[in-house]
Amino acid sequence: MRIGVLLMTHRPLAGDLLRIASEILGGAPPGVEALEVINDTPRETLVADALRCIERLDQGNGVLILTDLYGATPANVAVALLDRHPRLRVLAGVNLPMLLRALNYADLDLDTVVDKALQGGRDGACACQARQ
């Protein structure tokens, strides 16, 4: 069973990341959903929407929520859900390498997927210089 992945970001980032990942991977990956947040959406609505997504995504091995900005609404809601679901992890600062790592390793256990995704997010960011 795969780990479910929920992209929970400000609109339209989650959908855009999922679309790009699907193009790179040659099709829509299984077990991933995008939940895009509009800042004036009531917190209770976001919690309910996220819980529904988690229920659909969790096949018994857990769900990883990837959010865009720690301290912002999507991350705050995701962190608030940690006490409501025992097989849930949250990573903030999502980027395309992080998402691709999570999707490529989703057949592993939840903690390993978290480690791989976090490493991919860090390793995917670099300072580039012109060759001289």
Side-chain angles (χ1 to χ4, degrees):
M1 284 190 264
R2 293 178 62 87
I3 300 300
V5 176
L6 176 59
L7 285 161
M8 192 165 147
T9 71
H10 293 91
R11 185 174 62 172
L13 183 59
D16 289 344
L17 283 171
L18 183 53
R19 179 184 51 77
I20 295 165
S22 298
E23 289 175 9
I24 290 170
L25 297 173
V32 61
E33 291 188 25
L35 178 58
E36 296 180 330
V37 173
I38 301 170
N39 280 336
D40 61 352
T41 303
R43 182 180 176 93
E44 302 79 34
T45 300
L46 295 173
V47 167
D49 290 346
L51 286 171
R52 279 192 293 277
C53 290
I54 291 166
E55 271 189 40
R56 284 192 301 272
L57 291 168
D58 190 2
Q59 300 177 5
N61 290 337
V63 174
L64 171 58
I65 299 179
L66 302 176
T67 69
D68 50 359
L69 182 63
Y70 183 76
T73 300
N76 290 342
V77 170
V79 168
L81 297 173
L82 288 170
D83 292 334
R84 299 176 116 179
H85 195 282
R87 294 177 310 276
L88 184 64
R89 303 291 186 280
V90 176
L91 290 180
V94 67
N95 58 25
L96 188 56
M98 180 186 288
L99 173 58
L100 290 171
R101 276 286 185 98
L103 297 174
N104 282 323
Y105 289 97
D107 290 328
L108 302 177
D109 66 275
L110 183 56
D111 290 330
T112 301
V113 174
V114 169
D115 290 342
K116 294 286 189 181
L118 190 55
Q119 180 183 9
R122 277 188 290 222
D123 293 350
C126 62
C128 301
Q129 298 177 349
R131 295 182 188 186
Q132 298 184 0

